[in-house]
Amino acid sequence: MIHLSPAAVNEIRRLKSKQPSNILFRLRVKSGGCADWFYDLAFDTTVNSEGDRTTQAIDTVLELQGIPVVIDSESLDYINGLSIDYSEDLMGGGFRFQNPQAISTCSCGNSFSISQ
């Protein structure tokens, strides 16, 4: 399961409100960053011919605080138990990730390592 803080929910809704109505919020893990893996949050424009939201067969859609979050099957293994928060400071705002599976993270907090 994945947890979104109220601040993260508010920020995702704010960002999503500036997108087309059929847009999907996608969370994935990609290889790279300073600690092997990094989190990628994006809006996905995948739609079918009728304009309905669609996902690929390998995707899972989780409903988190009223927000459909699309996650590919490969990323699911890396983010079970993940908590996402959003905060702002003097340098700006950003999403913060707390992953119980991570054995190390980089100083920015967006890149992590897990035991293989």
Side-chain angles (χ1 to χ4, degrees), residues 30-102:
K30 291 184 174 181
S31 178
C34 359
D36 296 332
W37 301 98
F38 69 96
Y39 303 102
D40 181 48
L41 303 175
F43 290 106
D44 191 335
T45 58
T46 304
V47 294
N48 66 18
S49 59
E50 289 81 39
D52 296 328
R53 296 183 306 184
T54 62
T55 58
Q56 299 176 24
I58 59 171
D59 290 335
T60 298
V61 180
L62 301 175
E63 187 81 20
L64 303 175
Q65 283 96 6
I67 298 171
V69 179
V70 180
I71 306 166
D72 64 88
S73 60
E74 292 178 16
S75 294
L76 274 175
D77 294 334
Y78 296 97
I79 57 175
N80 189 31
L82 179 69
S83 293
I84 303 173
D85 191 17
Y86 179 83
S87 63
E88 294 187 17
D89 56 26
L90 294 175
M91 299 300 289
F95 289 97
R96 312 289 187 240
F97 304 92
Q98 183 94 24
N99 189 339
Q101 295 186 66

Side-chain angles (χ1 to χ4, degrees), residues 15-34:
L15 294 170
K16 194 172 188 298
S17 72
K18 298 177 179 187
Q19 303 294 323
S21 61
N22 61 353
I23 204 85
L24 297 165
F25 182 72
R26 184 175 288 278
L27 166 62
R28 69 184 128 206
V29 172
K30 291 184 174 181
S31 178
C34 359

